Amino acid sequence: MNTTKPAFELEFTRVIDAPRARVFEAWTKPEQIVKWFAPKPYQLIVNRMDLRTGGTFDMAMRGPNGEDFPFTGTYREVVPPAKLTWTGEFPGDPKDNITTEVTFEEEGSKTKLRARQTFAVMTAAAKHATAGAKQGWTLTLDQLMEFVAPGKS
């Protein structure tokens, strides 16, 4: 068991007014995740998304000026519709520097979502990304809630 304290850690919990299967789908379908998984005015670019345990992804956040901030990683757990875990890194980071775990729990017709992200070490790219991470995740989860709301998408 790894007991090393991460260099950076964030946790969020949200109750989302949508069924668990719908919320999980929004995280796992490339055509859906690009519509909400980037704090506006940023846009998510999905170059590859092999959503299976051991599958890899290659994505970028595109800024309003057209600059891309790429990141890659590997899906460690894909348990529909309950859990997603992946590791990832920015260019120049150690492999698997970032670990993200998202769980989806049924709460009647709603979903309790928990997201936890940690960075093992603080590199220049990680420092840049974590500077606005709390605000970015907050905006992104707000966009998710709107995207999956009944009567949407």
Side-chain angles (χ1 to χ4, degrees):
M1 181 177 174
N2 185 353
T3 58
T4 305
K5 182 169 173 43
F8 182 83
E9 178 177 9
L10 276 177
E11 284 193 61
F12 292 91
T13 300
R14 293 281 183 100
V15 175
I16 299 173
D17 187 15
R20 178 168 76 158
R22 173 70 190 103
V23 178
F24 189 84
E25 178 181 86
W27 282 82
T28 58
K29 304 271 187 204
E31 67 276 8
Q32 292 187 34
I33 199 169
V34 297
K35 294 182 179 181
W36 63 269
F37 192 83
K40 289 179 184 170
Y42 287 81
Q43 176 186 7
L44 181 69
I45 306 300
V46 176
N47 298 311
R48 182 180 65 254
M49 187 175 171
D50 182 8
L51 187 80
R52 61 182 173 82
T53 299
T56 60
F57 61 84
D58 177 358
M59 301 181 190
M61 293 281 184
R62 180 166 292 156
N65 65 357
E67 184 179 6
D68 283 353
F69 300 93
F71 55 98
T72 56
T74 303
Y75 293 101
R76 300 299 176 186
E77 287 181 279
V78 178
V79 185
K83 186 177 185 181
L84 291 172
T85 304
W86 64 89
T87 57
E89 56 278 333
F90 297 114
D93 274 3
K95 186 161 177 57
D96 300 335
N97 189 38
I98 308 162
T99 300
T100 306
E101 179 181 282
V102 183
T103 60
F104 308 83
E105 296 176 38
E106 285 183 349
E107 281 206 351
S109 62
K110 299 181 182 190
T111 304
K112 180 183 270 188
L113 181 142
R114 288 190 176 101
R116 180 176 186 258
Q117 186 171 66
T118 61
F119 287 68
V121 297
M122 196 54 63
T123 62
K127 190 170 187 174
H128 177 74
T130 58
K134 184 174 182 182
Q135 181 182 10
W137 270 98
T138 299
L139 291 170
T140 295
L141 292 175
D142 288 348
Q143 291 165 185
L144 169 63
M145 290 177 78
E146 184 178 332
F147 181 73
V148 299
K152 295 282 184 166
S153 55

